[in-house]
Amino acid sequence: MNESTKAQAYWGTIEKQATQGNGIDIGCGPDPVTPNARRFDLEHGDANVVSQYVKAQFDFVYSSHCLEHMHDPRLTILDWWKLVKPGGHLFMVVPDEDLYEQGVFPSRFNDDHKATFTISKSKSWSSKSVNILDLANSLPGGQLVSLQLQDLGYDRRLMSFGSQQPGLHSRFLAKIYAIAHKWMNESRLIGLRRYLTSYYAIDQTAWPFNAQAQIQLIVKKTGGNGHHV
């Protein structure tokens, strides 16, 4: 399932208000956040420096699961911030490093990821870790609206925090577990979990789990100096 569509099923008032008006969706592929949002993807230019291609400002700038592919997330987010009108919102979603990468980088599930993300840590296992709270505080005139870990449907008992590799059939194994969960008693499920997590890392954001393992950030541009949290 496309990430924006999957996320919108659980949106509340804050998210809906932050995507009102004229917007741009960076890295949306075939799944723009709103039908009228301006699409910006590979065919339109380099997402590291969108402001070099787009000479406009928007009521909202949205990007889901794109920043982790950028060369320098700290510089990129400042570039995207230029596209936000005063009073508008930057709305961004990235994978959480503990739930998605599970202690291993480069990522086992997407080798194009160039950084990992956490809400805020004094120290991370990842040498490429970026604190989202620090990113929010770096935005001139930014006012934090929402910063949250989203883990709906995620089963922490299936985490493989270490060197396990996703097997050739890791999605098949995930399906087996999802089916077994309905039929096995708890003692047998524990044994199955131990087996799976001893040998395989499972991407729970993929089918059949379609779980969330991400961080959502919404920042409003005040038009002045703003205040940080």
Side-chain angles (χ1 to χ4, degrees), residues 19-33:
T19 50
Q20 294 295 308
N22 182 33
I24 185 171
D25 189 336
I26 301 170
C28 60
D31 186 37
V33 65

Side-chain angles (χ1 to χ4, degrees), residues 59-141:
D59 297 308
F60 68 88
V61 174
Y62 179 87
S63 182
S64 178
H65 294 277
C66 180
L67 191 66
E68 61 269 25
H69 299 278
M70 302 296 100
H71 297 300
D72 188 335
R74 296 172 181 85
L75 293 179
T76 296
I77 198 171
L78 289 171
D79 182 78
W80 294 356
W81 187 241
K82 297 175 185 177
L83 306 179
V84 183
K85 289 180 179 179
H89 295 86
L90 174 66
F91 188 148
M92 187 181 71
V93 180
V94 294
D96 176 78
E97 64 182 31
D98 290 337
L99 299 184
Y100 187 76
E101 275 81 20
Q102 300 177 49
V104 176
F105 195 78
S107 175
R108 292 174 288 193
F109 305 119
N110 193 319
D111 59 9
D112 190 57
H113 286 191
K114 296 174 176 61
T116 67
F117 299 89
T118 180
I119 288 180
S120 183
K121 287 180 184 175
S122 58
K123 186 177 181 180
S124 171
W125 54 263
S126 170
S127 62
K128 298 293 185 180
S129 181
V130 177
N131 280 357
I132 294 297
L133 184 58
D134 291 342
L135 286 187
N137 282 333
S138 75
L139 301 175

